[in-house]
């Protein structure tokens, strides 16, 4: 079996065993995850573990999320195929690519300039033309392109960033991990009357940096870019 066939087989096994088996049903999500070459979002020495049931390091103390968490969070956005989506925390760009397979257009913001540049280049090489990348603090969203049908945050604040709710459409969904030592995945829905909050499962994400960190009550707030 050549390398490409092996990667395709690993990808299908990943979706069958880790994602579908745990209850993700949305075919748009499952098909996107069968298609996007996750290993290409990692350094070459991690290609052999790219489809394992765990997060992997991407440098700068950050990680690419476990495949199941990517699948679950994408399903929770309830994308229909033509949505406008904002992602906070581009990281490797893997989640971005999954979103771009399903949504109409994806806007993504990354705090660490080196990661942002690498992801931008990688997504361009893979041929995505419906992704717009920006370097900066996603705490305040990306007002220029709002409102969004869905917003996904892939690092954890300890409170809901108000700007993200403001930039959601009525009927839109914000999917984010939230908490400090103990975090949970939340789905926030924006309705005519305000917001509703649903807790999904306990999770572990890196903290949301920048303004979100400065506003945290529990820790020392200096958050310099390394
Ligand atoms: N979705 C990513 C996961 C990356 S981990 C992937 O599939 O690879 C979370 C990312 O959020 C990190 O790259 C981190 O640098 C970034 N991040 C942290 N705080 C941020 C902020 N305030 N604004 C934008 N990105 C942030």
């Amino acid at each position: 079996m050549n390398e490409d066939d092996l990667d395709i087989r690993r990808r299908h096994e990943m979706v069958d065993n880790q994602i579908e088996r745990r209850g993700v049903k949305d075919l748009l999500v499952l098909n996107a995850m069968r298609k996007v070459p996750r290993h290409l979002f990692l350094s070459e020495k991690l290609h052999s573990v790219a489809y394992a049931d765990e997060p992997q390091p991407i440098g700068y103390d950050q990680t690419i999320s476990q495949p199941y968490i990517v699948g679950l969070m994408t399903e929770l956005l309830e994308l229909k195929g033509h949505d406008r989506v904002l992602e906070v925390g581009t990281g490797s760009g893997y989640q971005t690519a999954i979103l771009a397979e399903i949504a109409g257009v994806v806007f993504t913001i990354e705090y660490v300039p080196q990661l942002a540049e690498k992801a931008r280049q990688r997504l361009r090489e893979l041929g995505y033309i419906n992704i717009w990348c920006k370097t900066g603090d996603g705490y305040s969203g990306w007002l220029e392109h709002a409102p969004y049908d869905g917003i996904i945050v892939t690092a954890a604040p300890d409170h809901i960033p108000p700007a993200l709710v403001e930039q959601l459409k009525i009927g839109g969904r914000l999917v984010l991990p939230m908490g400090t030592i103990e975090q949970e995945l939340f789905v926030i829905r924006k309705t005519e009357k305000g917001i509703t909050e649903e807790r999904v499962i306990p999770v572990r994400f890196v903290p949301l940096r920048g303004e979100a960190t400065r506003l945290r009550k529990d820790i020392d707030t200096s958050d310099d870019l390394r």
Side-chain angles (χ1 to χ4, degrees):
M1 193 183 293
N2 69 33
E3 271 305 304
D4 285 351
D5 289 343
L6 190 60
D7 287 325
I8 292 169
R9 200 177 78 184
R10 284 185 178 141
R11 208 142 61 227
H12 279 253
E13 283 173 1
M14 170 190 86
V15 172
D16 296 350
N17 299 336
Q18 302 172 33
I19 301 173
E20 208 170 4
R21 188 170 295 171
R22 289 190 180 119
V24 173
K25 293 188 186 66
D26 188 332
L27 281 179
L28 293 174
V29 176
L30 298 174
N31 288 337
M33 295 193 72
R34 286 192 177 105
K35 181 173 170 196
V36 176
R38 179 171 161 98
H39 62 288
L40 297 184
F41 292 82
L42 291 168
S43 64
E44 210 153 325
K45 64 178 193 299
L46 291 174
H47 281 189
S48 60
V49 289
Y51 297 100
D53 192 11
E54 57 197 13
Q56 302 295 342
I58 56 171
Y60 307 93
D61 291 334
Q62 307 301 321
T63 55
I64 181 172
S65 303
Q66 180 190 7
Y68 170 61
I69 295 294
V70 174
L72 176 63
M73 289 177 82
T74 311
E75 181 171 68
L76 290 169
L77 282 172
E78 294 173 27
L79 302 177
K80 301 285 185 289
H82 45 259
D83 318 68
R84 173 179 285 263
V85 177
L86 175 68
E87 178 190 38
V88 175
T90 318
S92 66
Y94 175 67
Q95 170 82 70
T96 324
I98 299 290
L99 295 168
E101 289 288 338
I102 305 174
V105 57
V106 182
F107 299 91
T108 183
I109 310 174
E110 170 55 49
Y111 193 71
V112 178
Q114 295 91 330
L115 286 174
E117 193 41 49
K118 229 170 161 176
R120 188 195 306 262
Q121 202 178 327
R122 190 178 276 140
L123 292 164
R124 195 191 301 132
E125 279 167 14
L126 286 170
Y128 289 100
I129 53 167
N130 59 340
I131 297 174
W132 299 89
C133 301
K134 162 170 139 167
T135 304
D137 187 345
Y139 182 80
S140 45
W142 195 341
L143 186 57
E144 211 183 326
H145 303 291
Y148 302 97
D149 299 287
I151 301 180
I152 179 171
V153 184
T154 66
D158 72 346
H159 61 277
I160 302 172
L164 299 187
V165 174
E166 279 157 27
Q167 292 173 27
L168 262 189
K169 284 185 193 166
I170 301 288
R173 295 150 308 276
L174 164 62
V175 176
L176 81 168
M178 199 161 48
T180 48
I181 296 161
E182 298 198 344
Q183 301 168 1
E184 280 177 294
L185 190 60
F186 282 77
V187 180
I188 312 295
R189 287 166 195 277
K190 185 167 175 178
T191 69
E192 295 280 359
K193 295 188 190 128
I195 61 166
T196 65
E197 279 184 34
E198 181 195 339
R199 289 163 192 256
V200 186
I201 50 164
V203 285
R204 193 181 303 162
F205 278 79
V206 295
L208 192 69
R209 300 170 70 180
E211 189 65 11
T213 303
R214 279 186 285 281
L215 294 170
R216 269 166 77 152
K217 313 270 181 301
D218 60 323
I219 52 164
D220 171 24
T221 54
S222 50
D223 180 42
D224 294 322
L225 260 183
R226 268 164 291 170

